[in-house]
Amino acid sequence: MPSDQPTDKLRDERPDRPVLTGLIALVGVGLVVGLVLGGVALGAVSVLGLGGGDGGSGGTANQQSFYLPEPEPTDEPSGPLITLAPEPGSDGSGSAEPSESATTEAPEEEISLSAGQTSVSPMQQIDLTGVYPGGEGAILQVQRFADGQWVDFPVTASVSNETFSTYIQTGQLGENRFRMVDTSTGLESNEVTVTIG
C-alpha cells in the first residue's frame, strides 16, 4: 500500500511539533513576563527615587538631601557635667557654715536615686536611675519598704561612669518606697516613692 507511506511520515513528525511549539510558547511567555516585571521595577525605582542622582525627576536630582557642616573646635566644659542634689541643711546660696568634718576630710560618697515614673499600672516598668560618685564598679541592690522594714527586691544594678540605671516591675498596689544599697559598703541611697494602681 503505497498510499500509506506519506501518512505515516506525517504522523512521525507531528508528535514532536506540539512539544516544540509548547517549549517555544513557554520561552516567549517567560520573556514577556520578564520584560513586564523589569519595566514595573524600573518604574518603581524611578518613582521612589532609588536609582541614584540621575534616576529621579529633573527638579530633585540637583538638590542636596543632606548637609554636614564643617567641624569646629570647641572649648572643654568648665563646670560639672552632672548636677547633684544639695546637701541637707544648706539653702543652696553658699552661705552655710561648713562643719568641721567637712573641712578636715573629703566629702562622703552619696548615692542619688530617682524614679522615671511616679505612678504606674501594676507590672508596668519603673525606671530607676542615679549617680554614685566614687562608686565605679559597685553593685547596687534594689530594696522595697514592706511591713515596716527594707527588704531586697530581686533586681541589682552596676555602677559605670559613676551612674547606674535599671528597671523594676511590681504588682503591689498602693505607694511603694524604693532605695538602692551598695552590696559591698552598705551605703544607702535616698528613697523614691511610686504609686502602683
Side-chain angles (χ1 to χ4, degrees):
M1 296 186 173
S3 61
D4 287 340
Q5 286 182 351
T7 307
D8 288 339
K9 188 174 182 183
L10 289 176
R11 284 185 192 163
D12 290 340
E13 293 176 5
R14 284 192 178 180
D16 293 339
R17 286 189 131 192
V19 172
L20 182 61
T21 304
L23 189 59
I24 291 172
L26 282 176
V27 170
V29 168
L31 285 173
V32 170
V33 169
L35 288 173
V36 168
L37 289 179
V40 169
L42 184 61
V45 166
S46 178
V47 168
L48 296 176
L50 301 175
D54 295 334
S57 63
T60 60
N62 297 329
Q63 293 180 355
Q64 291 181 351
S65 62
F66 182 73
Y67 171 73
L68 183 64
E70 291 294 321
E72 296 178 7
T74 57
D75 297 330
E76 290 291 321
S78 59
L81 298 179
I82 298 174
T83 305
L84 301 176
E87 291 185 19
S90 72
D91 60 359
S93 64
S95 62
E97 293 293 323
S99 64
E100 271 186 45
S101 63
T103 57
T104 58
E105 57 188 50
E108 187 177 319
E109 297 172 344
E110 181 179 294
I111 303 173
S112 176
L113 174 65
S114 63
Q117 298 80 14
T118 57
S119 178
V120 296
S121 302
M123 298 308 292
Q124 186 177 348
Q125 181 172 312
I126 303 167
D127 298 309
L128 299 178
T129 59
V131 180
Y132 187 4
E136 189 66 26
I139 302 298
L140 303 178
Q141 174 69 52
V142 178
Q143 289 187 333
R144 178 174 58 191
F145 193 76
D147 298 325
Q149 63 181 353
W150 289 100
V151 294
D152 287 349
F153 198 82
V155 174
T156 59
S158 61
V159 178
S160 176
N161 295 325
E162 298 187 348
T163 63
F164 61 91
S165 68
T166 188
Y167 71 92
I168 56 174
Q169 295 173 306
T170 181
Q172 185 69 36
L173 298 177
E175 286 191 354
N176 285 266
R177 294 162 46 192
F178 298 98
R179 71 177 184 184
M180 304 294 280
V181 177
D182 186 332
T183 57
S184 299
T185 65
L187 183 64
E188 303 162 354
S189 73
N190 58 300
E191 64 180 63
V192 294
T193 303
V194 179
T195 303
I196 312 295

